[in-house]
Amino acid sequence: MEFILVTPQARTHVALIQLNRPKELNALNLQLMGELRDALKELDENEEVRAIIITGNERAFAAGADIKQMAGKTAIDMLNMDQFSTWDQIRKTKKPIIAAVSGFALGGGCELAMTCDMIIASETAMFGQPEIKIGVMPGAGGTQRLTKAIGKAKAMEMVLTGKFMTADEAEKQGLINRVVPVELYLEEAFKLAGEIAQMSPVAARLAKESVNRSFETQLDEGLHFERKNFYLCFASEDQTEGMNAFVEKRKPEFKGR
Ligand code: CAA
């Protein structure tokens, strides 16, 4: 891996992925995205890992897709490059993913953070979809996920002007979970990931799948999907352990079985 660093932490069951092209503000070139996809696939299959954090550095989470890599391309080059199939695979990760964002989260960087399940931001974080300023528009989910998160009027303004949103505003608008001082954003992400990692991995997977389903279905179908996943929890040892532990007034020990 050249452009990302992966640190699984067996004790906490949390894995950290750090985007690592600092000089280019973590611009998301094809190689970095391919490495990210491969790392997530591996962590998704690793039974020791129960939650994943994606972060950048203090200055930038990621300043978007790599403009230099795209600048000379034609539509057919872009079609053949098929960069978004990588994003589709990232979206299919089953384990909970937290984006720990500091500094710029722009264009594809903002879209990557929104592809994660939760976002913890430092007070210096800036979110934006500035593609309009370079003659294009968001292509990795920005028009869809941002609109669903903050509503049409605010999303339209960001997408059509390229204006950035501060971390405080992003929290007010419901785009992110919370803002913390810059020296604490990673620690806060680890705290949240650690908390999730203590839950049943089976229930977490099914719950994540069900929440995500709400973006794709009508209520009736979503409720039906939720109910099936709820019943499926009862096939797990974790359900027995969780409920027995409650009755016996002790802490459950979930195994992901
Ligand atoms: N692609 C390639 N290189 C990038 C980059 C990007 N998205 N963003 C920053 N860089 C590079 C700069 O070219 C510069 O490299 P050099 O030192 O070799 O010149 C280096 O990172 C540092 O950047 P700046 O000197 O520009 O730093 P700054 O502090 O003055 O400005 C910034 C920071 C406001 C984030 C500015 O870099 C910027 O506007 N970046 C582009 C943001 C953008 O438009 N993102 C959307 C990309 S398109 C996209 O993402 C499509 C999609 O939906 C998938």
Side-chain angles (χ1 to χ4, degrees):
M1 301 275 185
E2 187 183 348
F3 295 134
I4 64 169
L5 303 169
V6 185
T7 326
Q9 305 196 338
R11 191 181 54 78
T12 57
H13 300 294
V14 174
L16 177 70
I17 299 178
Q18 185 179 15
L19 311 179
N20 192 31
R21 283 188 86 199
K23 273 202 234 117
E24 294 81 6
L25 306 185
N26 291 331
L28 306 167
N29 65 9
L30 289 180
Q31 187 182 333
L32 186 154
M33 289 308 292
E35 289 178 8
L36 182 59
R37 173 204 53 209
D38 294 346
L40 285 169
K41 185 166 185 298
E42 219 174 291
L43 294 173
D44 223 15
E45 287 165 3
N46 180 344
E47 284 193 15
E48 288 300 311
V49 174
R50 295 184 178 185
I52 300 164
I53 298 171
I54 300 179
T55 196
N57 54 56
E58 261 186 45
R59 184 163 178 228
F61 176 72
D66 191 321
I67 300 169
K68 291 168 192 164
Q69 197 169 53
M70 292 185 295
K73 298 278 189 277
T74 66
I76 302 305
D77 291 337
M78 293 299 283
L79 185 74
N80 289 338
M81 212 158 81
D82 193 22
Q83 60 178 321
F84 297 125
S85 63
T86 308
W87 289 73
D88 289 339
Q89 283 166 286
I90 290 172
R91 180 169 61 90
K92 289 183 184 145
T93 307
K94 298 176 195 81
K95 290 177 184 164
I97 310 179
I98 297 166
V101 175
S102 180
F104 300 113
L106 305 177
C110 187
E111 290 166 309
L112 178 60
M114 292 190 292
T115 302
C116 297
D117 302 309
M118 288 155 281
I119 303 175
I120 299 292
S122 92
E123 58 205 352
T124 65
M126 300 291 277
F127 298 86
Q129 298 290 161
E131 291 91 339
I132 193 98
K133 293 184 176 170
I134 52 169
V136 291
M137 57 173 280
T143 63
Q144 305 301 299
R145 290 202 179 92
L146 189 64
T147 308
K148 287 191 163 85
I150 67 175
K152 176 179 163 181
K154 297 276 184 191
M156 202 63 101
E157 189 175 343
M158 283 178 76
V159 169
L160 295 184
T161 67
K163 215 186 273 173
F164 299 167
M165 184 181 261
T166 63
D168 280 338
E169 181 67 11
E171 185 182 26
K172 257 188 245 148
Q173 296 300 330
L175 180 63
I176 66 175
N177 293 69
R178 55 191 157 275
V179 189
V180 295
V182 64
E183 61 278 13
L184 293 180
Y185 76 99
L186 202 49
E187 192 179 317
E188 186 68 20
F190 267 107
K191 217 189 279 172
L192 179 57
E195 209 175 306
I196 293 166
Q198 286 175 37
M199 307 300 161
S200 157
V202 177
R205 172 182 169 172
L206 296 173
K208 168 173 169 165
E209 200 179 72
S210 300
V211 172
N212 280 337
R213 188 49 77 105
S214 75
F215 291 103
E216 286 151 23
T217 55
Q218 299 294 324
L219 181 62
D220 207 39
E221 200 188 325
L223 289 173
H224 184 66
F225 186 86
E226 178 192 76
R227 205 159 300 167
K228 297 273 178 185
N229 273 356
F230 175 71
Y231 293 151
L232 188 52
C233 290
F234 284 75
S236 71
E237 290 172 22
D238 284 352
Q239 173 268 332
T240 313
E241 167 65 7
M243 293 193 179
N244 284 348
F246 176 82
V247 174
E248 293 159 15
K249 298 187 188 297
R250 60 174 174 83
K251 198 169 173 288
E253 267 192 46
F254 295 119
K255 296 202 171 80
R257 303 254 156 223

